[in-house]
Amino acid sequence: MILSKRGYKTTIEHARHYIDSMREEGKSIEEIRDNRRKFQLAVLDMQIEQEAELSPIETVFLDRAIPDAMAYYQFLNLDFDEKLLSA
């Protein structure tokens, strides 16, 4: 938030955005987080989409980026899937 207030381009935190959108659809936090793989894939999809739209010549601060997904997969003891590896 401080970076954006100082005029830098920043991205949203996709996990928070996904949780908020699922809660708007009536899901509880427990339901959202119950399927860890589905949650991580949904967040990864958002990250891939957003990062594909970024300009390679523009400085952008990412709140959470694709490499972070690998750390979350490891932390949650999830096997890397092809989508993550190719991203």
Side-chain angles (χ1 to χ4, degrees):
M1 185 182 264
I2 293 173
L3 291 171
S4 63
K5 285 183 179 179
R6 291 186 178 176
Y8 293 101
K9 185 171 183 175
T10 61
T11 64
I12 64 168
E13 204 279 313
H14 293 288
R16 169 62 41 212
H17 178 71
Y18 179 75
I19 290 169
D20 291 345
S21 65
M22 291 295 101
R23 291 190 70 200
E24 287 176 8
E25 293 180 14
K27 304 266 188 216
S28 70
I29 294 292
E30 293 77 23
E31 290 174 304
I32 297 165
R33 293 205 177 255
D34 189 42
N35 186 333
R36 293 175 175 179
R37 180 169 296 284
K38 180 180 177 183
F39 178 83
Q40 292 303 320
L41 281 171
V43 172
L44 179 62
D45 284 340
M46 289 183 202
Q47 291 169 311
I48 291 170
E49 182 180 339
Q50 182 178 44
E51 289 185 35
E53 295 174 1
L54 298 176
S55 168
I57 61 170
E58 187 175 18
T59 300
V60 180
F61 290 92
L62 306 174
D63 189 292
R64 180 173 160 184
I66 293 171
D68 294 315
M70 293 184 109
Y72 279 98
Y73 271 68
Q74 288 178 325
F75 177 75
L76 298 169
N77 293 316
L78 299 173
D79 292 330
F80 294 159
D81 53 52
E82 188 57 38
K83 182 180 280 189
L84 176 59
L85 293 174
S86 66

